[in-house]
């Protein structure tokens, strides 16, 4: 008892002292109170701090709770330092003390040294606001954002600091040393032996400065991405051991940099063998390993290139898809073998199951009739589901220009027959009607303007039942027909036409169209006015051939005849009634219908004037052959294209009217004036009305019944696929039964400007000179065509 009393007396006499909160002596002692110590300008209230701590008087002391309270106070962002300690009082209880150092309050934000960027733009980059306490995280973020802002403007060497001495006084001052504006002058490659620098540079997003076209900004993150791109590109071409890095070399004035990409290519690996495995490593069930190997595009000994691997993988998948295995998946990998630069390609085939097509469901068409969509869907119920059609159908629906974002999805297998799967076709309808404005000009056509109304999903039978339905665009829609109303007045040529077409007349395989057209054309010595009714039928034959039958009836009148008008024109001034039926067989086999690089276009024509009566009666024939060759294609996919074109036509009569005969010149035969490659006449009517016929000093083209043209054009791109230069030779003749007599030849060069927003036809500017011509020919050195929609 004496010892216990002595120990108690000593504990009561022991002076209280601060202890670490994790001291075991504090555990589970009762908390007698919480004390708050605030160091700073006392911007924070003691009660605010107490509201954010969990430890309270009367609770047992818990070091974890105290540490969580410290973290909570830190997260408030108002204190630079937060600490906690505890003290054992004489009665054995614990007093907890939280000591906080208040952050300085940001009373104002200012910038020094900025000339390129305004204070307003810099403030937008700073996440801190006045009246808030100092936050070191936001301070660091502010510095980074200011640097990024300067680097985006070319000041790559910018330095930004925060004046700590001013910050204690409430002023957040960013001191900026902008440095010179840096731009990339050159990109260089070191160690690239297999590929030229131009080919490697084409893979990069970092580009050098080009006056007016590129800023040439230096972006470190973009450089890191470019290094990864080059590494991947080399490996895709078989260089598995490649290593790529970059360095930046500043000029002496620190205003320009040269970016150097350092490449260690290593060896190029080739394919040694193809190893095929099915699911779980077992042999494939449907196709044998030999059959799958024979489908491979990449062959043994070929460089292990990604493009050949992808083609191989796709060929294998398509072989399965055509048999109904729509879930087939083909995976590729490789293993290195031996010490030679060789790899084995590992092909893993997950075949899945074969399915038969069930029902085809269409969703999303509010206006468009189901049959318009189903024409483009080639799944056949009851037949093996061709997996290729999932993608091909989407492409056809997109190409129709009626729908957007089409989705073709096979549904889950039928519960009663798990080998059958329905197909869901989901579409979103476009607003296919449009009003278009444009202007055009050309040496043949003069200057003209155009206003047109077009609809791609027209329905002639869907007439409006009210004005609201018509004005709301809910009428004349949904049958997949085409409608075009064009008004194109011009100085030399004016055209007004209305055309309606249906690609599937009576839901059959024949397409048809009809239209009316009025054209006024100013020629040398007279004006030609045509009012036409045009009809047409067409049908595709296989994948490449198209047959069309095009009847037309029209009235033609020649006006504004003068004293120098040839007799032929005067006698045929009309009005004349003309009818014709033209049968045409076309074969189109090109790689790109808009800008062919390879392939052939062939047109065979047989026509008869007078098929429906009229003032003239004669047959005619024609052939037009165009061949495209890609002479060279660079690593950017730019093609140098040689186009060879031949055309011949013959009218089996010398009595054909002047407005139906053949003429060439202008854009149809460069180097010669418009329509002047033709027989000419100077026999004119001297008076009006005519009294005498005699010669004139003016020779006017009157056309011929035989036409022949042969030409070649070579096109070389010079700026991406937007600007190209051409060199060409045009040759040919137009005469009356003289065949290749009176031959002409013109040579020249020109410029092509392709602007997708202006349509597929380029702006064409050509200079040509006739090297073989006839006595009465007229030269035309420059010719052009420009068509600009608004």
């Amino acid at each position: 008892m004496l010892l216990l009393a002595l120990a108690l007396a000593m504990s009561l006499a022991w002076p209280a002292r601060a202890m670490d909160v994790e001291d075991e002596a504090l555990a589970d002692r009762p908390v007698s109170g919480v004390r708050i110590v605030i160091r700073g300008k006392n911007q924070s209230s003691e009660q605010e701090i107490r509201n954010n701590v969990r430890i309270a008087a009367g609770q047992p002391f818990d070091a974890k709770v105290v540490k969580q309270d410290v973290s909570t106070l830190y997260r408030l962002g108002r204190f630079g330092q937060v600490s906690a300690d505890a003290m054992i009082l004489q009665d054995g209880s614990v007093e907890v003390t939280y000591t906080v150092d208040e952050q300085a309050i940001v009373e104002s934000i200012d910038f020094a040294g900025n000339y390129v960027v305004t204070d307003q733009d810099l403030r937008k980059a700073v996440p801190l606001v006045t009246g808030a306490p100092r936050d070191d995280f936001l301070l660091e973020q502010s510095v980074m954002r200011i640097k990024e802002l300067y680097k985006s403007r070319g000041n790559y060497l910018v330095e930004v600091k925060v004046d700590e001495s001013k910050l204690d006084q409430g002023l957040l001052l960013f001191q900026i040393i902008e440095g010179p504006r840096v731009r990339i002058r050159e990109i260089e490659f070191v160690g690239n032996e297999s590929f030229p620098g131009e080919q490697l540079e084409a893979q990069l997003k970092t580009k050098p400065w080009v006056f007016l076209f590129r800023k040439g900004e230096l972006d470190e993150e973009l450089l890191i991405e470019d290094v990864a791109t080059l590494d991947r590109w080399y490996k895709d071409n078989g260089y598995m051991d490649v290593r790529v890095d970059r360095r930046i070399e500043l000029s002496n004035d620190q205003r320009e940099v040269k970016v150097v990409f350092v490449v260690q290519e290593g060896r190029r690996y080739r394919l040694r063998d193809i190893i095929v495995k099915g699911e779980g490593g077992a042999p494939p069930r449907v196709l044998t390993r030999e059959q799958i190997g024979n489908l491979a595009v990449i062959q043994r000994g070929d460089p292990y290139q990604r493009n050949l691997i992808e083609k191989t993988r796709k060929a294998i998948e398509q072989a399965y898809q055509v048999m109904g295995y729509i879930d087939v998946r083909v995976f590729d990998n490789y293993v290195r073998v031996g010490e030679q630069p060789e790899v084995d390609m590992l092909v893993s085939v997950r075949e899945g199951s074969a399915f038969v097509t069930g029902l085809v469901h269409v969703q999303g068409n509010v206006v468009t009739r189901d049959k318009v969509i189903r024409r483009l869907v080639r799944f056949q119920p009851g037949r093996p589901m061709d997996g290729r059609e999932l993608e091909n159908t989407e492409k056809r629906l997109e190409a129709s220009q009626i729908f957007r974002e089409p989705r073709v999805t096979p549904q889950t297998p039928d519960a009663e027959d798990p080998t059958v799967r329905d197909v869901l076709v989901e579409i979103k309808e476009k607003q296919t009607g449009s009003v278009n404005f444009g202007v055009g000009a050309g040496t043949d056509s003069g200057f003209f303007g155009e206003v047109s109304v077009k609809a791609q999903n027209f329905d002639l039978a869907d007439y409006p039942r009210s004005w609201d339905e018509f004005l709301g665009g809910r009428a004349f829609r949904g049958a997949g027909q085409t409608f075009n109303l064009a008004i194109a007045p011009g100085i030399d040529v004016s055209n007004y036409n209305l055309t309606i077409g249906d690609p599937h007349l009576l839901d059959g395989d024949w397409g048809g169209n009809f239209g009316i057209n009025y054209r006024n054309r100013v020629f040398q010595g007279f004006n030609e006015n045509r009012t036409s009714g045009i009809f047409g039928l067409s049908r595709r034959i296989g994948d490449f051939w198209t047959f069309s039958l095009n009847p037309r009836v029209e009235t033609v009148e020649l006006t504004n005849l003068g004293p120098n008008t040839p007799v032929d024109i005067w006698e045929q001034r009309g009005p004349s009634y003309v009818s014709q039926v033209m049968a045409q067989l076309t074969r189109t086999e090109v790689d790109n219908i808009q800008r062919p690089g390879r392939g052939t276009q062939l047109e065979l024509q047989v026509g008869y004037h007078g098929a429906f009566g009229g003032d003239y009666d004669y047959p005619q024939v024609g052939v037009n052959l165009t061949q495209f060759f890609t002479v060279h294609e660079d690593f950017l996919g730019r093609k140098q294209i040689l186009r060879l074109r031949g055309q011949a036509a013959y009218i089996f009569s010398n009595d054909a009217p002047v407005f139906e005969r053949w003429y060439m010149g202008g854009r149809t035969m460069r180097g010669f004036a418009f329509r002047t490659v033709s027989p000419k006449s100077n026999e004119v009517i001297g008076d009006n009305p005519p009294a005498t016929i005699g010669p004139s000093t003016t020779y006017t083209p009157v056309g011929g019944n035989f036409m022949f043209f042969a030409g070649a054009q070579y096109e070389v791109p010079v700026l991406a696929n937007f600007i190209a230069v051409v060199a060409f030779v045009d040759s040919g003749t137009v005469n009356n039964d003289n065949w290749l007599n009176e031959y002409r030849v013109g040579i020249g060069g020109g410029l092509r400007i392709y602007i997708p927003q202006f349509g597929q036809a380029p702006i064409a500017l050509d200079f040509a000179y006739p090297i073989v011509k006839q006595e009465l020919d007229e030269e035309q050195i420059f010719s052009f065509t420009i068509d600009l929609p608004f």
Side-chain angles (χ1 to χ4, degrees):
M1 290 293 296
L2 181 62
L3 291 175
L4 180 60
L6 181 61
L8 178 61
M10 292 181 63
S11 66
L12 292 174
W14 191 267
R17 61 183 179 84
M19 302 174 62
D20 188 284
V21 295
E22 293 187 351
D23 194 311
E24 294 182 359
L26 299 172
D28 296 327
R29 288 177 179 269
V31 176
S32 60
V34 177
R35 190 161 68 98
I36 306 297
V37 178
I38 302 174
R39 296 175 183 172
K41 296 183 179 180
N42 295 322
Q43 299 287 339
S44 304
S45 68
E46 180 177 328
Q47 187 58 46
E48 180 183 6
I49 298 175
R50 289 186 181 276
N51 290 340
N52 285 279
V53 297
R54 294 171 56 198
I55 202 77
Q59 295 179 352
F61 181 85
D62 189 335
K64 291 183 180 179
V65 174
V66 174
K67 293 173 68 176
Q68 289 174 358
D69 289 342
V70 171
S71 298
T72 299
L73 293 176
Y74 263 123
R75 284 196 296 272
L76 293 177
R78 305 189 63 174
F79 310 110
Q81 293 290 333
V82 179
S83 62
D85 53 42
M87 181 182 298
I88 299 177
L89 303 181
Q90 290 184 351
D91 61 359
S93 64
V94 177
E95 181 184 69
V96 181
T97 302
Y98 293 96
T99 304
V100 297
D101 293 335
E102 286 188 316
Q103 294 276 34
I105 299 300
V106 178
E107 297 176 355
S108 63
I109 301 174
D110 206 352
F111 307 91
N114 58 306
Y115 301 98
V116 174
V117 184
T118 64
D119 286 2
Q120 290 80 3
D121 289 338
L122 289 172
R123 283 195 178 94
K124 294 177 183 177
V126 176
L128 280 164
V129 295
T130 56
R134 167 179 175 162
D135 187 320
D136 288 342
F137 174 79
L138 293 181
L139 280 177
E140 185 63 29
Q141 198 173 43
S142 299
V143 171
M144 292 176 61
R145 289 186 179 182
I146 292 173
K147 286 184 176 181
E148 290 172 359
L149 179 59
Y150 269 95
K151 288 180 179 180
S152 69
R153 302 193 180 197
N155 294 73
Y156 174 72
L157 301 176
V158 64
E159 295 182 8
V160 181
K161 295 191 302 183
V162 175
D163 190 333
E164 292 286 347
S165 63
K166 303 291 186 189
L167 188 57
D168 292 338
Q169 302 171 16
L171 172 63
L172 175 55
L173 177 63
F174 292 95
Q175 295 177 331
I176 302 171
I177 302 176
E178 295 179 327
R181 188 173 183 177
V182 178
R183 61 190 180 195
I184 302 173
R185 170 62 70 175
E186 182 184 356
I187 294 179
E188 183 181 337
F189 297 89
V190 176
N192 54 310
E193 298 177 357
S194 302
F195 303 100
E198 294 84 358
Q199 189 170 0
L200 298 180
E201 188 174 338
Q203 316 303 320
L204 308 178
K205 292 183 179 179
T206 301
K207 300 294 182 182
W209 171 81
V210 177
F211 179 66
L212 295 181
F213 289 96
R214 281 202 300 258
K215 294 181 179 180
E217 298 170 350
L218 187 63
D219 187 328
E220 280 282 1
E221 293 184 2
L222 204 58
L223 286 177
I224 295 173
E225 184 179 338
D226 284 338
V227 168
T229 298
L230 284 177
D231 181 85
R232 184 171 57 253
W233 190 82
Y234 262 98
K235 288 177 178 176
D236 286 348
N237 280 277
Y239 293 85
M240 307 301 180
D241 302 325
V242 67
R243 293 193 294 178
V244 184
D245 205 347
R246 92 278 183 224
R247 67 172 184 265
I248 299 171
E249 298 180 359
L250 279 165
S251 62
N252 292 332
D253 60 3
Q254 295 189 333
R255 294 184 179 276
E256 294 179 341
V257 299
K258 178 169 71 173
V259 179
V260 181
F261 288 92
V262 182
V263 180
Q264 184 178 351
E265 294 179 337
R267 302 178 299 176
R268 191 177 199 183
Y269 283 72
R270 296 184 177 274
L271 179 67
R272 189 191 72 164
D273 198 4
I274 298 176
I275 301 173
V276 180
K277 295 181 180 180
E279 295 184 54
R285 295 179 292 104
V286 180
L287 298 178
T288 66
R289 289 171 172 170
E290 291 74 16
Q291 289 173 321
I292 294 175
N294 291 334
L295 291 168
V297 176
I298 188 171
Q299 298 296 313
R300 293 168 179 81
D302 288 344
Y304 197 71
Q305 295 178 233
R306 175 51 52 184
N307 63 329
L308 298 178
I309 298 167
E310 286 299 320
K311 289 179 180 179
T312 296
R313 191 181 60 78
K314 192 171 185 65
I316 298 171
E317 285 186 348
Q318 288 182 345
Y320 275 91
Q321 288 171 345
V322 75
M323 296 185 292
Y325 292 83
I326 63 172
D327 296 326
V328 65
R329 293 294 180 269
V330 178
F331 305 94
D332 68 271
N333 208 334
Y334 70 91
V335 292
R336 307 185 194 205
V337 290
E339 297 182 359
Q340 297 300 318
E342 294 179 330
V343 296
D344 285 348
M345 179 178 176
L346 307 179
V347 177
S348 177
V349 182
R350 191 176 68 197
E351 295 173 322
S353 301
F355 295 99
V356 173
T357 304
L359 299 178
V360 178
H361 305 277
V362 177
Q363 288 185 0
N365 53 317
V366 178
V367 175
T368 308
R369 300 180 187 179
D370 268 19
K371 65 181 181 180
V372 175
I373 303 168
R374 293 180 185 276
R375 291 169 188 157
L376 304 173
V377 180
R378 297 180 182 173
F379 289 103
Q380 300 180 19
R383 301 282 296 172
M385 182 177 288
D386 190 343
R388 301 172 303 173
E389 281 301 308
L390 297 172
E391 180 180 353
N392 293 340
T393 300
E394 289 180 355
K395 289 180 179 178
R396 284 193 293 271
L397 290 168
E398 188 81 36
S400 71
Q401 300 182 356
I402 300 176
F403 313 108
R404 58 185 175 88
E405 301 177 17
R407 292 180 57 190
V408 181
T409 313
Q411 301 302 286
T412 56
D414 188 276
E416 297 180 359
D417 187 351
T419 65
V420 177
R421 296 178 71 170
D422 293 346
V423 177
L424 176 63
V425 179
E426 299 173 281
I427 55 97
K428 296 180 181 178
E429 294 174 318
K430 285 184 177 180
Q431 178 55 260
T432 56
S434 64
V435 179
N436 309 288
F437 303 88
V439 296
T443 46
D444 291 358
S445 59
F447 180 83
F448 62 90
E450 181 176 345
V451 179
S452 64
V453 179
K454 296 182 179 181
Q456 293 290 97
N457 193 16
F458 189 70
D459 187 353
L460 184 61
D462 183 27
Y463 54 86
R465 293 168 179 80
S466 67
W467 278 106
D468 289 340
E469 191 174 70
F470 177 75
L471 296 175
R474 300 189 300 274
F476 297 117
R477 293 180 62 193
Q481 300 166 359
T482 58
F483 174 87
N484 183 38
L485 171 64
I487 301 172
I491 296 175
D492 295 331
V493 183
S494 296
N495 266 300
Y496 308 90
N497 69 73
L498 170 66
T499 306
I500 297 176
D502 190 334
H504 296 274
L505 283 176
L506 303 176
D507 297 326
D509 296 327
W510 285 85
N513 64 83
F514 72 91
I516 56 175
N517 176 265
Y518 173 77
R519 187 184 76 169
N520 173 265
R521 183 67 163 98
V522 178
F523 291 121
Q524 181 181 340
F526 66 97
N527 291 1
E528 178 186 289
N529 303 306
R530 287 179 182 258
T531 303
S532 309
I534 304 169
F535 309 90
L537 293 171
S538 64
R539 178 173 180 171
R540 291 194 64 86
I541 304 172
D543 293 330
F544 305 116
W545 291 93
T546 302
F547 175 77
S548 62
L549 195 66
N550 301 289
R552 66 181 172 97
V553 294
E554 58 188 352
T555 60
V556 183
E557 184 176 9
L558 309 181
T559 61
N560 286 348
L561 307 180
N564 291 325
T565 300
V567 175
D568 289 356
I569 297 175
W570 177 270
E571 292 177 346
Q572 297 166 3
R573 63 189 182 278
S576 301
Y577 169 61
V578 179
S579 69
Q580 180 196 40
V581 61
M582 181 72 70
Q584 180 170 298
L585 188 62
T586 304
R587 177 183 171 86
T588 303
E589 187 180 2
V590 294
D591 59 349
N592 186 321
I593 194 66
Q594 304 295 346
R595 293 181 65 177
R598 293 183 178 88
T600 305
Q601 290 179 326
L602 172 66
E603 296 176 359
L604 303 173
Q605 296 177 335
V606 177
Y608 191 83
H609 287 255
F612 309 106
D615 298 325
Y616 302 96
D617 187 357
Y618 58 88
Q620 71 178 63
V621 295
V623 60
N624 188 351
L625 175 64
T626 306
Q627 183 75 46
F628 299 92
F629 302 92
T630 297
V631 179
H632 174 72
E633 182 174 358
D634 65 13
F635 49 85
L636 294 177
R638 298 176 299 187
K639 298 178 180 179
Q640 297 182 16
I641 299 170
L642 173 64
R643 186 190 70 186
L644 303 178
R645 178 169 169 261
Q647 184 180 9
Y650 185 70
I651 296 173
F652 293 88
S653 173
N654 291 322
D655 297 326
V658 293
F659 49 80
E660 295 292 335
R661 297 175 188 170
W662 305 117
Y663 301 83
M664 287 199 304
R667 296 299 301 168
T668 57
M669 190 169 178
R670 290 161 288 189
F672 299 86
F674 177 57
R675 282 173 54 106
T676 60
V677 178
S678 160
K680 301 174 178 66
S681 174
N682 70 336
E683 289 186 347
V684 301
I685 303 294
D687 300 308
N688 189 5
T692 60
I693 298 176
S696 169
T697 58
T698 301
Y699 286 82
T700 303
V702 293
N705 64 354
F706 173 75
M707 181 267 289
F708 177 81
F709 175 86
Q713 177 173 290
Y714 192 73
E715 181 173 328
V716 179
V718 294
L719 181 59
N721 282 316
F722 301 112
I723 298 178
V725 295
V726 298
F728 55 83
V729 177
D730 288 353
S731 70
T733 184
V734 175
N735 53 57
N736 290 314
D737 296 328
N738 291 324
W739 300 104
L740 297 182
N741 292 340
E742 301 177 358
Y743 207 76
R744 284 95 163 170
V745 179
I747 62 172
L751 190 68
R752 298 291 179 271
I753 303 173
Y754 293 89
I755 304 176
Q757 293 81 357
F758 291 169
Q760 297 299 327
I763 295 174
L765 310 170
D766 288 327
F767 293 88
Y769 183 77
I771 58 174
V772 177
K773 61 180 182 177
Q774 301 304 314
E775 181 180 358
L776 299 177
D777 287 343
E778 299 178 31
E779 298 180 3
Q780 181 176 293
I781 303 301
F782 176 65
S783 65
F784 70 93
T785 56
I786 299 174
D787 191 3
L788 304 178
F790 296 149

